[in-house]
Coordinates of all heavy atoms in Angstrom, one line a residue:
S613 N 85.5 113.2 -7.8 CA 85.7 113.6 -6.4 C 85.6 115.2 -6.2 O 86.1 115.7 -5.2 CB 87.0 113.1 -5.8 OG 87.0 111.7 -5.8
L614 N 84.9 115.9 -7.1 CA 84.8 117.3 -7.0 C 84.1 117.7 -5.7 O 84.6 118.6 -4.9 CB 84.1 117.9 -8.2 CG 84.0 119.4 -8.2 CD1 85.3 120.1 -8.2 CD2 83.2 119.9 -9.4
L615 N 83.0 117.1 -5.4 CA 82.2 117.5 -4.2 C 83.0 117.1 -2.9 O 83.1 117.9 -2.0 CB 80.9 116.8 -4.2 CG 80.0 117.1 -3.0 CD1 79.6 118.5 -2.9 CD2 78.7 116.2 -3.1
K616 N 83.6 115.9 -3.0 CA 84.5 115.5 -1.8 C 85.6 116.4 -1.6 O 86.0 116.8 -0.5 CB 85.0 114.1 -2.0 CG 85.8 113.5 -0.9 CD 86.3 112.1 -1.3 CE 87.5 111.8 -0.4 NZ 88.4 110.8 -1.0
N617 N 86.3 116.8 -2.7 CA 87.4 117.7 -2.6 C 87.0 119.1 -2.1 O 87.7 119.7 -1.3 CB 88.2 117.9 -3.9 CG 88.9 116.6 -4.3 OD1 89.2 115.8 -3.5 ND2 89.1 116.4 -5.6
T618 N 85.8 119.6 -2.5 CA 85.3 120.9 -2.0 C 85.0 120.8 -0.5 O 85.4 121.6 0.3 CB 84.1 121.3 -2.8 OG1 84.4 121.3 -4.2 CG2 83.6 122.6 -2.3
Q619 N 84.4 119.7 -0.1 CA 84.1 119.5 1.3 C 85.3 119.4 2.2 O 85.4 119.9 3.3 CB 83.2 118.2 1.5 CG 81.8 118.4 1.0 CD 81.0 117.1 1.0 OE1 81.6 116.0 1.0 NE2 79.7 117.2 1.0
N620 N 86.3 118.7 1.7 CA 87.6 118.5 2.4 C 88.3 119.8 2.7 O 89.1 119.9 3.6 CB 88.5 117.5 1.6 CG 88.1 116.1 1.7 OD1 87.2 115.7 2.6 ND2 88.6 115.3 0.9
C621 N 88.1 120.8 1.9 CA 88.7 122.1 2.1 C 88.2 122.8 3.4 O 88.8 123.7 3.9 CB 88.4 123.1 1.0 SG 89.2 122.6 -0.6
F622 N 87.1 122.3 4.0 CA 86.6 122.8 5.2 C 86.7 121.9 6.4 O 86.1 122.1 7.4 CB 85.1 123.2 5.0 CG 84.9 124.3 4.1 CD1 84.6 124.1 2.7 CD2 85.1 125.6 4.5 CE1 84.5 125.2 1.9 CE2 84.9 126.7 3.6 CZ 84.6 126.5 2.3
L623 N 87.4 120.8 6.2 CA 87.6 119.8 7.3 C 89.0 119.8 7.8 O 89.9 120.3 7.2 CB 87.3 118.4 6.8 CG 85.9 118.2 6.2 CD1 85.7 116.8 5.7 CD2 84.8 118.4 7.3
Q701 N 90.0 121.4 -11.4 CA 89.3 121.2 -10.2 C 89.7 122.2 -9.1 O 88.9 122.8 -8.4 CB 89.4 119.8 -9.6 CG 88.3 118.9 -9.9 CD 88.3 117.7 -9.0 OE1 88.7 117.7 -7.9 NE2 87.8 116.6 -9.6
I704 N 88.0 125.4 -9.9 CA 86.6 125.4 -9.5 C 86.4 125.5 -8.0 O 85.6 126.3 -7.5 CB 85.9 124.1 -10.1 CG1 85.8 124.2 -11.6 CG2 84.5 124.0 -9.5 CD1 85.4 122.9 -12.2
V705 N 87.1 124.7 -7.3 CA 87.0 124.7 -5.8 C 87.4 126.0 -5.2 O 86.7 126.5 -4.3 CB 87.8 123.5 -5.2 CG1 87.8 123.6 -3.7 CG2 87.2 122.1 -5.6
I708 N 84.8 128.6 -5.9 CA 83.6 128.3 -5.1 C 83.8 128.9 -3.7 O 83.0 129.6 -3.1 CB 83.2 126.8 -5.0 CG1 82.6 126.4 -6.4 CG2 82.2 126.5 -3.9 CD1 82.5 124.9 -6.5
I709 N 85.0 128.6 -3.1 CA 85.3 129.1 -1.8 C 85.3 130.6 -1.8 O 84.8 131.3 -0.9 CB 86.7 128.5 -1.3 CG1 86.5 127.0 -1.0 CG2 87.1 129.2 -0.1 CD1 87.8 126.3 -0.8

Side-chain angles (χ1 to χ4, degrees):
S613 299
L614 179 62
L615 182 61
K616 180 182 161 208
N617 290 337
T618 305
Q619 290 171 336
N620 285 345
C621 289
F622 292 97
L623 299 177
Q701 263 199 30
I704 292 171
V705 171
I708 288 169
I709 290 170

